[in-house]
Amino acid sequence: MAVLLLAEHDNKVLNEATAKAMTAARGLDQDVHVLVAGSQCGAVAEAAAKLDGAAKVLFADAPHLSHPLAEELTALIVPLMENYDALVAPATATGKNVVPRIAALLDVMQVSDITLVVAPDTFERPIYAGNAVQTVKCSQPKKVITVRTAAFKSVEAAGNTPIEAIEAPGPVTQSAFENAELTVSDRPDLASAKIIISGGRGVGSGENFKKLIEPVADALGAAIGASRAAVDAGFVPNDMQVGQTGKVVAPDLYIAVGISGAIQHLAGMKDSKIIVAINKDADAAIFQVADYGLVADLFEAMPELETELKNLKN
């Protein structure tokens, strides 16, 4: 049979997490069919059809699919799984909400947060806050998998696969979408940014985030993140949290400012290609994973860094 990949999107743009999950899905050595479920999202289906490795796009367009409600997507996907050996989805908020329900209804275990496809039935996933890697061999009749997308590269948009319209079942109406309050920012999305600068408790306040972190982020074209300690202290909103209970990221450059390096935070960023740490405590755990470390007072170092970046631009 084949693999069904659940596409993530906002009815307008295909989320990059789908292209990364495709890399994992291709490792199962079967044809990959991409499911695009939404409302008036033809442009998303066309983008999915270009993903390298997609053998087919299944396009379910219905008003009650305009928002990725778990109950509605589950009702659509479970009957489709009769024709598939595996379901793959990004381990995003949507994937983590939808996929466990499907696994339960299929009466199979879920393989969560995989970071490597060793073989079509064998996967690696982090455990103990990323301090150990577990190898899982799945002998279930149907594999249900979520993918830690930070561990995979995006496939290229080099394909041109056919799009097949499918009929969605009627609305389940067990839940309803009320509203969404989205943070609007000119900066890159934290989950997919190439450069991230994160602040911790040592930054001291939300005002200091604006004075010290934001100018450097603007100069670098970087996204801004934070440790859980900074979020819990109310310095920044929780959608900026990087770590085990926040966003898992793997940018080209990660700058940690005033972050001690608790294992929960390291679990969310230790796969970054280059890690730079700025902390006045020379014994801070963050220096154990950093490629470059600066033992300095961030209140002096950050303005100096901002000045140097401005000089480079000039």
Side-chain angles (χ1 to χ4, degrees):
M1 286 194 277
V3 176
L4 184 65
L5 171 63
L6 177 60
E8 183 143 344
H9 60 90
D10 61 0
N11 291 313
K12 297 177 182 178
V13 178
L14 184 68
N15 193 302
E16 188 181 358
T18 307
K20 293 183 175 183
M22 171 63 82
T23 301
R26 290 171 61 179
L28 300 181
D29 291 339
Q30 296 187 59
D31 286 344
V32 180
H33 295 176
V34 184
L35 173 62
V36 175
S39 178
Q40 298 181 353
C41 55
V44 176
E46 292 174 4
K50 295 178 182 177
L51 292 178
D52 188 18
K56 182 193 294 186
V57 172
L58 302 182
F59 181 33
D61 192 297
H64 62 278
L65 297 175
S66 58
H67 300 285
L69 299 176
E71 292 83 359
E72 304 295 350
L73 287 176
T74 300
L76 169 66
I77 294 171
V78 169
L80 291 176
M81 288 305 297
E82 292 183 7
N83 301 316
Y84 293 93
D85 289 326
L87 171 68
V88 175
T92 57
T94 297
K96 291 177 180 179
N97 190 23
V98 175
V99 174
R101 301 166 188 260
I102 296 169
L105 290 171
L106 295 176
D107 195 25
V108 297
M109 75 173 192
Q110 175 180 320
V111 183
S112 304
D113 249 9
I114 67 165
T115 55
L116 180 66
V117 179
V118 179
D121 63 348
T122 308
F123 313 94
E124 288 186 359
R125 58 185 299 272
I127 57 174
Y128 303 134
N131 285 303
V133 175
Q134 181 183 57
T135 301
V136 180
K137 187 166 185 176
C138 181
S139 59
Q140 300 284 299
K142 303 276 186 187
K143 298 178 182 65
V144 177
I145 301 164
T146 60
V147 177
R148 179 172 287 195
T149 53
F152 293 88
K153 292 183 178 180
S154 298
V155 297
E156 296 181 359
N160 187 21
T161 194
I163 300 173
E164 177 184 328
I166 62 172
E167 186 174 348
V172 177
T173 67
Q174 289 181 330
S175 62
F177 177 82
E178 290 294 329
N179 70 298
E181 296 182 8
L182 303 177
T183 302
V184 179
S185 175
D186 293 331
R187 295 192 181 90
D189 177 62
L190 180 60
S192 58
K194 301 295 184 183
I195 303 174
I196 297 173
I197 177 167
S198 287
R201 192 201 309 271
V203 176
S205 68
E207 185 62 29
N208 287 337
F209 259 84
K210 293 180 180 179
K211 291 194 302 183
L212 299 173
I213 305 294
E214 290 187 7
V216 175
D218 291 339
L220 291 171
I224 296 179
S227 67
R228 178 170 179 173
V231 170
D232 288 348
F235 299 167
V236 292
N238 60 11
D239 62 352
M240 292 171 62
Q241 182 179 328
V242 173
Q244 184 181 13
T245 54
K247 291 182 172 67
V248 177
V249 299
D252 294 336
L253 173 62
Y254 187 89
I255 304 175
V257 181
I259 295 175
S260 62
I263 59 172
Q264 291 84 357
H265 184 77
L266 299 183
M269 47 65 71
K270 65 185 180 67
D271 290 329
S272 304
K273 292 179 177 60
I274 298 176
I275 299 172
V276 176
I278 302 173
N279 200 299
K280 65 180 180 180
D281 180 6
D283 296 323
I286 191 70
F287 288 122
Q288 296 177 13
V289 299
D291 297 286
Y292 301 94
L294 175 62
V295 180
D297 186 336
L298 67 89
F299 294 96
E300 296 175 0
M302 294 305 290
E304 291 177 6
L305 178 57
E306 179 189 352
T307 300
E308 289 297 327
L309 289 171
K310 286 181 178 177
N311 290 338
L312 284 174
K313 284 194 172 183
N314 295 330

